[in-house]
Amino acid sequence: MPPQHHHADVLVIGWGLAGLVAASGAAAEGKRVVIVDQESRPNLGGQAFWSFGGLFFVDSPEQRRMGINDSLELARQDWFDTAGFDRDEDRWPRQWAEAYLQFAAGEKRAWLREKGVGFFPVVGWAERGGYTATGPGNSVPRFHITWGTGPGLVAPFHAAVESAEAQGRITILPRHRVTHLTTADGAVTGASGEVLAPDAAPRGAATSREPVGEFTVTAGATVVSSGGIGGNHELVRAQWPARLGAPPATMITGVPAYVDGSMQPVSAAAGAHLIGGDRMWHYVEGIQNWDPIWPGHGIRILPGPSSVWLDATGARLPVPLFPGFDTLGTLAHLRRTGHDHSWFVLSQRIVEKEFTLSGSEQNPDLTGKDVRLLLRSRLGKGAAGPVQSFLDHGADFVVRRTLGELITGMRALPGGEALDPDLVRREVEARDREMDNDFTKDAQIAMLRSARAYRGDRLIRTAAPHRILDPEAGPLIAVKLHVLTRKSLGGIETDLSGRALGADGAPIPGLYAAGEAAGFGGGGMHGYRALEGTFVGGCLFSGRIAGRAAAAAV
């Protein structure tokens, strides 16, 4: 194949949500845009397609209808206390955080509504915290589910890009893997790399990296929107911070293999300053997918707050490390146990009310905008269909009638020999005794009763408090949980226009960054921790800014 040469006003590297937003925004300004990605065309939309589509809004109509009193001041308090900014390099991330809060409390919802994006009316409460008012976590529910989940959020930007492509304003180049950012006189002038062999693998599946040619793209402005590192376990371990303990020997993967961090060294070689590489966001409620799409495919349980959480030995996790309260606090605690897994113990009644699985493909009712299916799956009797499939086929699920039988089943799974049967029995029975009256010293039970004061929790998210060992609530269920890789919170440092910065703090002419590649803005607008619903929202925000700024510069 002879070398390919292309020219554009704006080059966008990576066609995930941030890339689609940047490209469509630049094309709307009348610019000629080229989009390159190492994957095949069915993967247009990238990782966001597989997401639950959760969005962080502040003082939204959905919140007000649910009786939630939110404000920009409260959201700012939660964000900055959660982020824990404490480094000199947090200058731009702090400014991006403030700008994003203004966006989430302002035009974000109306902008999406104009594009036809709708939202599920019940607002979820993620990252509940459980510490003091100045600790990490959301003080109020802010997790808004996109009607249509990830595909519904990607759709308007996908359509805008394909419309511009049909009009000749955007050129899309699949299977083009960037290996170098080209420069001249200190400015980035485009990119070069390998044309990969065609690969007919379905969306999300791993594809070959066999090169069959070379390409160059020259452009007045280049936007790097290539995503994070979650599909590259070697890189995750290399950047794993000591504050989270030792990196796991075994992990499962919450993102496709193409989320490989390959543009990090390429961007750095062109002078981009990478910051916050040790800031990352991985889940501890991961389960092996019984029907995997990508290698090591894991699914996160989006847990309600009732399950008893035990470490690998059977000891209950300390306050406030309850399901859905503090992702990284729980990760750090579990890494100190010397084991790569932990356990949920719960009842059938809890699994029916509280278990939701992350991912567009695991929520056919919300993804398909199917109201009848939604009412049956969320309010009807029995577990939702995808959850039931894991109960029936999942390698990490144990379902038994008695606690003794359940413990035997848990110990039969790999790593189960670490479990102390007497300790498990003591923890579960002691918890159940606390259910016999309205008074308790068990903080999780007190929280359960408090949570049901929120209409959304009572309706679809939190089971009525009950004894887990109550035969009427059974059978009993145990779930073996793994560390699930997901998000990079650090990335290419950028100013508020999305311009990539060098180590000296000066903008690199011609280079911009957006999405997870830029730590969702500034190189890490979440700091050490996130409030959830802020990842795809960060792609929207930073992609819009970078696309507009790149277009204005050429």
Side-chain angles (χ1 to χ4, degrees):
M1 175 184 293
Q4 298 181 12
H5 302 283
H6 305 272
H7 178 73
D9 296 317
V10 176
L11 167 63
V12 176
I13 302 170
W15 60 26
L17 183 57
L20 294 183
V21 174
S24 59
E29 297 294 325
K31 306 303 178 181
R32 291 172 299 148
V33 179
V34 168
I35 305 173
V36 299
D37 196 281
Q38 63 185 349
E39 291 305 312
S40 50
R41 183 74 180 234
N43 288 281
L44 196 68
Q47 184 183 340
F49 177 90
W50 300 104
S51 76
F52 197 38
L55 289 168
F56 176 97
F57 293 120
V58 178
D59 192 27
S60 70
E62 289 78 17
Q63 286 177 300
R64 293 193 292 271
R65 282 194 291 269
M66 295 299 295
I68 300 163
N69 295 315
D70 199 7
S71 67
L72 178 58
E73 293 75 21
L74 184 61
R76 182 183 293 113
Q77 172 179 299
D78 287 348
W79 189 293
F80 280 85
D81 287 338
T82 298
F85 296 120
D86 61 0
R87 301 174 180 175
D88 291 342
E89 65 187 26
D90 286 331
R91 174 194 171 199
W92 288 109
R94 285 176 179 272
Q95 294 184 54
W96 270 88
E98 178 60 36
Y100 183 73
L101 286 165
Q102 298 283 346
F103 180 60
E107 64 176 315
K108 177 182 176 183
R109 184 182 181 279
W111 177 61
L112 290 171
R113 290 293 296 138
E114 288 173 1
K115 295 183 179 299
V117 178
F119 310 103
F120 187 57
V122 179
V123 183
W125 197 351
E127 287 297 292
R128 301 183 186 214
Y131 301 91
T132 65
T134 57
N138 284 295
S139 296
V140 297
R142 297 191 177 104
F143 192 83
H144 297 67
I145 301 169
T146 301
W147 187 231
T149 66
L153 189 58
V154 168
F157 303 100
H158 187 160
V161 164
E162 291 197 328
S163 176
E165 181 186 30
Q167 297 166 22
R169 291 182 287 121
I170 287 182
T171 299
I172 300 175
L173 301 176
R175 303 295 286 162
H176 282 58
R177 182 174 183 266
V178 172
T179 57
H180 296 89
L181 293 176
T182 55
T183 60
D185 299 324
V188 170
T189 58
S192 63
E194 301 169 337
V195 180
L196 304 179
D199 194 312
R203 180 191 283 271
T207 58
S208 80
R209 292 293 178 262
E210 178 190 355
V212 295
E214 298 178 345
F215 76 93
T216 59
V217 181
T218 58
T222 297
V223 180
V224 176
S225 53
S226 52
I229 68 172
N232 185 337
H233 288 196
E234 182 179 348
L235 189 52
V236 168
R237 291 191 180 96
Q239 297 187 180
W240 191 276
R243 66 180 178 277
L244 293 180
T250 59
M251 298 182 283
I252 56 178
T253 311
V255 294
Y258 56 70
V259 186
D260 59 9
S262 59
M263 279 302 297
Q264 283 195 355
V266 172
S267 301
H273 189 212
L274 301 178
I275 63 175
D278 64 323
R279 292 174 175 174
M280 51 184 67
W281 191 259
H282 307 303
Y283 294 108
V284 280
E285 309 99 334
I287 51 176
Q288 301 171 80
N289 194 346
W290 67 273
D291 187 20
I293 297 170
W294 53 78
H297 189 175
I299 297 294
R300 184 202 175 198
I301 297 171
L302 299 173
S306 297
S307 298
V308 172
W309 204 335
L310 307 176
D311 70 17
T313 71
R316 196 167 168 193
L317 270 59
V319 175
L321 304 183
F322 311 130
F325 274 62
D326 180 3
T327 293
L328 288 198
T330 306
L331 176 59
H333 173 80
L334 289 173
R335 294 311 309 138
R336 292 192 293 270
T337 67
H339 299 276
D340 290 348
H341 68 278
S342 60
W343 299 92
F344 278 165
V345 174
L346 60 150
S347 66
Q348 177 71 19
R349 191 177 296 172
I350 291 172
V351 86
E352 290 180 4
K353 186 80 168 184
E354 298 191 6
F355 266 35
T356 298
L357 303 175
S358 183
S360 56
E361 83 283 7
Q362 300 295 333
N363 294 275
D365 50 355
L366 292 164
T367 302
K369 303 180 182 181
D370 189 328
V371 176
R372 290 185 179 179
L373 179 59
L374 185 145
L375 292 174
R376 289 201 306 272
S377 62
R378 310 286 164 167
L379 299 178
K381 188 169 178 58
V387 174
Q388 188 60 52
S389 293
F390 273 89
L391 288 167
D392 295 338
H393 308 294
D396 297 311
F397 286 74
V398 180
V399 182
R400 298 290 190 272
R401 283 290 169 187
T402 69
L403 183 57
E405 292 170 331
L406 187 76
I407 293 170
T408 298
M410 295 165 72
R411 285 177 55 82
L413 293 185
E417 66 278 0
L419 204 66
D420 180 338
D422 293 334
L423 182 56
V424 175
R425 185 176 295 279
R426 179 174 182 272
E427 294 282 18
V428 176
E429 291 179 347
R431 179 263 185 204
D432 272 10
R433 290 189 191 98
E434 297 285 319
M435 301 302 303
D436 289 342
N437 57 68
D438 293 334
F439 307 98
T440 181
K441 68 178 181 182
D442 190 309
Q444 186 176 7
I445 293 173
M447 178 279 307
L448 293 178
R449 292 168 176 164
S450 174
R452 284 178 59 85
Y454 168 48
R455 194 187 324 153
D457 271 354
R458 187 172 65 253
L459 182 65
I460 64 170
R461 206 67 184 105
T462 303
H466 62 277
R467 290 184 294 113
I468 286 177
L469 298 179
D470 182 352
E472 297 298 317
L476 298 171
I477 299 166
V479 187
K480 183 182 176 183
L481 306 172
H482 308 261
V483 175
L484 176 78
T485 63
R486 185 77 92 198
K487 295 294 182 184
S488 312
L489 299 187
I492 299 170
E493 185 179 20
T494 66
D495 65 12
L496 284 178
S497 294
R499 296 184 298 177
L501 305 178
D504 61 356
I508 300 171
L511 186 60
Y512 299 77
E516 195 172 352
F520 303 92
M525 71 175 188
H526 298 94
Y528 289 96
R529 301 171 183 235
L531 288 175
E532 293 284 29
T534 56
F535 298 139
V536 287
C539 290
L540 293 168
F541 186 51
S542 60
R544 189 173 83 150
I545 287 175
R548 290 176 175 179
V554 298

